[in-house]
Amino acid sequence: MILTKQYKIIYKYFDRVNKKMKKTIYRPNNYSLYKAVNVLNQSGVIGFPTETVYGLGGNAYSDQAINKIYEIKNRPKINPLIIHVSSFKLAETLGEFSDTAKNIALQYWPGPLTILLNRKANNGISEIATAGLNSIAIRIPSNKIAHLLLEKFGKPIAAPSANLSGTVSSTSASHIFDDFGSQIDMIIDDGPCLHGIESTIIDARDNNLKILREGSITKEDIFRTTNLIIDENSENKIIAPGQLEKHYAPKASLRINVEKPDKDEFYITLGKSNNFTNSINLSQNADLTEFANKIYSVLRELDDKKIKKIAVAPIPNSGIGQAINDRLKRASK
Ligand code: TXA
Ligand code: MG
């Protein structure tokens, strides 16, 4: 093949990126899990799949690992991390479970629910991971690879979403590589995430239950399964920095609840919609689960394509629609 000089330079660049990617991204198998456990034991940082979004994980007992997570994410140290464990038994060593909290945990774990509890004294978790607070947010993920990893590691993994602070979460291994390159020791690639939106966070420190972040498990679900009522006004109270106004944001500007986009806007829509020229329909059947599953990936793609203005159609505010609207609202600030 005859290559022009310019093409050769570009080719070499992509070849280098590809080689780096190959050295960082691993398929899930015994070897990569063994390697991941070694990295975690040496206070390294890994990208790993969960059923919600990918996590940027480190040994939750190690200040060194936790510092590295904050540093590469450019995350303010006041924003604590979720602690992931493989079993309820291990979770009980970390936080104080009331009967109510235990009831919810047994109902939803493993799964996309994070429970905020009072932190047990001397539980060994790095104080930096919980931002010096006397609370702790814990979850048991249901993704098979995450579960195997946690079991093999045997210790808690502190993991925020695997994206630069304030930006769109990663729902695939390549998203993580785009954000961090080979700054992290390895990424386990388990394909696209099942839900594509972060876990629901419930504050169960006392019997006055509050939702701190909406997700695929809604307060209606929790009521239906446990008869527990969640404080309706809880969403206004910012105690988790993930509730900060601007968050989950692409580089492009984003307008929400748009029925008719402007000419210079790229339109994200769902259901039966007119054929707009610059648009993408994330679910022809207006299936909100499908929409949630695709939205982050599409926002990242539009950024890659240097789209400057995005408009999103109105999203029904029911079920997971509440979580989608919450994220889109913050992304649009
Ligand atoms: O689905 C998820 O939850 C993903 C996967 C990787 O598990 N993780 C995730 O982490 O979304 P992150 O760091 O992006 O969001 C965690 C949220 C933040 O808003 C943080 O402030 C809140 O949880 N949080 C963690 N520990 C807390 C604590 N002790 N008190 C209050 N909020 C806490
Ligand atoms: Mg996050």
Side-chain angles (χ1 to χ4, degrees):
M1 198 179 7
I2 304 162
L3 298 173
T4 65
K5 200 173 160 197
Q6 200 182 13
Y7 186 80
K8 270 186 190 163
I9 293 169
I10 296 171
Y11 182 82
K12 265 192 187 160
Y13 170 77
F14 280 111
D15 196 40
R16 255 204 330 267
V17 173
N18 259 339
K19 274 191 188 136
K20 273 191 186 162
M21 258 177 106
K22 273 196 192 136
K23 268 178 80 180
T24 311
I25 300 183
Y26 291 77
R27 283 226 291 266
N29 52 37
N30 278 339
Y31 168 73
S32 60
L33 287 173
Y34 169 81
K35 187 176 159 71
V37 168
N38 272 339
V39 169
L40 291 169
N41 275 324
Q42 286 162 29
S43 292
V45 172
I46 61 166
F48 71 101
T50 86
E51 70 281 18
T52 55
V53 296
Y54 274 78
L56 197 61
N59 181 353
Y61 294 143
S62 158
D63 284 349
Q64 192 190 332
I66 304 304
N67 275 325
K68 186 168 179 200
I69 291 176
Y70 278 98
E71 189 188 312
I72 64 175
K73 246 188 94 92
N74 197 15
R75 180 173 175 116
K77 285 257 171 80
I78 53 160
N79 192 358
L81 311 181
I82 293 175
I83 309 300
H84 299 68
V85 293
S86 60
S87 68
F88 184 73
K89 207 168 145 215
L90 183 52
E92 271 187 315
T93 68
L94 308 178
E96 303 281 359
F97 283 84
S98 64
D99 286 346
T100 302
K102 187 169 176 181
N103 181 355
I104 298 174
L106 295 181
Q107 183 72 38
Y108 286 102
W109 282 353
L113 183 77
T114 296
I115 306 181
L116 186 70
L117 301 166
N118 288 316
R119 184 188 155 119
K120 268 198 174 160
N122 306 319
N123 63 7
I125 298 293
S126 159
E127 300 265 350
I128 310 165
T130 48
L133 300 170
N134 51 18
S135 59
I136 185 166
I138 308 177
R139 91 176 185 96
I140 303 183
S142 63
N143 173 283
K144 238 173 61 191
I145 303 306
H147 209 74
L148 269 174
L149 174 70
L150 282 159
E151 257 176 4
K152 283 183 192 283
F153 182 48
K155 296 185 273 283
I157 296 179
S161 52
N163 55 282
L164 294 166
S165 185
T167 69
V168 182
S169 297
S170 290
T171 55
S172 77
S174 64
H175 294 161
I176 312 181
F177 192 81
D178 288 345
D179 281 12
F180 302 108
S182 32
Q183 267 185 300
I184 51 180
D185 298 292
M186 71 182 291
I187 301 167
I188 301 178
D189 181 359
D190 190 36
C193 297
L194 179 68
H195 296 292
I197 207 155
E198 306 79 2
S199 62
T200 305
I201 305 181
I202 186 167
D203 182 351
R205 286 175 299 172
D206 53 46
N207 286 332
N208 180 22
L209 298 170
K210 302 176 203 70
I211 297 282
L212 301 182
R213 180 175 71 184
E214 293 172 317
S216 54
I217 295 171
T218 62
K219 43 180 178 288
E220 293 80 15
D221 292 331
I222 295 173
F223 179 69
R224 204 166 356 104
T225 52
T226 61
N227 260 337
L228 292 164
I229 296 175
I230 290 164
D231 185 350
E232 278 297 326
N233 299 318
S234 58
E235 282 126 55
N236 308 327
K237 253 178 96 189
I238 294 187
I239 73 151
Q243 297 167 283
L244 287 175
E245 292 277 278
K246 177 114 184 150
H247 217 89
Y248 312 106
K251 294 188 189 95
S253 71
L254 192 129
R255 219 154 58 83
I256 52 176
N257 290 321
V258 177
E259 304 268 6
K260 195 167 172 289
D262 293 340
K263 279 208 178 69
D264 60 347
E265 284 177 324
F266 189 96
Y267 195 37
I268 300 178
T269 177
L270 85 168
K272 290 204 171 52
S273 60
N274 294 328
N275 271 341
F276 295 95
T277 30
N278 282 323
S279 74
I280 183 167
N281 189 321
L282 296 197
S283 173
Q284 303 281 347
N285 305 325
D287 176 349
L288 294 178
T289 306
E290 190 181 359
F291 187 97
N293 186 271
K294 292 178 180 166
I295 183 68
Y296 284 156
S297 179
V298 165
L299 291 177
R300 279 177 174 265
E301 260 172 55
L302 295 177
D303 272 348
D304 287 346
K305 291 192 175 133
K306 309 269 186 277
I307 301 287
K308 293 278 177 284
K309 291 181 176 185
I310 301 171
V312 188
I315 308 297
N317 206 38
S318 63
I320 196 174
Q322 298 170 64
I324 299 170
N325 280 322
D326 166 70
R327 306 302 193 275
L328 290 175
K329 203 164 119 197
R330 292 175 211 284
S332 70
K333 296 276 171 180

